[in-house]
Amino acid sequence: MPVFVFFIVLSLAFYIFYKIQYVRSNRPMERKWLSAKSSMMLGLFVGLFGINTFFVQQSTVAYAIATIFIVLGFSSVWAGFKAYRHFTPYVKQEAAEWDKSS
């Protein structure tokens, strides 16, 4: 399905974008926050890849592997989202302190 392929490539692009931002950041909380965002994008990539496999390949082995990909991918999205929510106030506080010192 072309729609899934578009979102798979888009999530992979955002994963790479957030990893580059992670490497370039000097602030510790912002790095954890960006790591959570990249974890969500990688999980979305894996989950959507698993969903796309359901439509592309029609075998029992493909269904089993796709199910594993979907479960692992969307659990990674969930864990990344929880970490993102946890670190957001700390990132705001760190940014405010960083602006004061600059």
Side-chain angles (χ1 to χ4, degrees):
M1 308 250 349
V3 173
F4 286 122
V5 173
F6 173 74
F7 286 117
I8 288 169
V9 171
L10 189 65
S11 64
L12 184 62
F14 272 107
Y15 169 73
I16 293 169
F17 172 76
Y18 288 133
K19 277 301 178 183
I20 290 170
Q21 293 297 319
Y22 171 83
V23 170
R24 295 178 67 186
S25 176
N26 294 327
R27 303 179 209 173
M29 285 296 132
E30 184 180 39
R31 287 177 67 101
K32 290 179 183 180
W33 185 66
L34 288 167
S35 179
K37 289 169 78 171
S38 67
S39 175
M40 288 190 314
M41 290 298 111
L42 185 62
L44 190 62
F45 169 77
V46 172
L48 290 175
F49 190 82
I51 291 172
N52 191 42
T53 304
F54 274 124
F55 295 110
V56 174
Q57 298 177 358
Q58 309 281 321
S59 70
T60 307
V61 175
Y63 288 154
I65 293 172
T67 304
I68 292 169
F69 278 11
I70 291 168
V71 169
L72 287 176
F74 289 115
S75 64
S76 179
V77 170
W78 178 251
F81 182 70
K82 287 178 68 172
Y84 171 80
R85 282 193 329 192
H86 174 74
F87 289 120
T88 298
Y90 299 115
V91 170
K92 290 179 183 177
Q93 179 183 3
E94 186 178 59
E97 291 172 2
W98 190 272
D99 289 339
K100 287 180 185 177
S101 67
S102 296

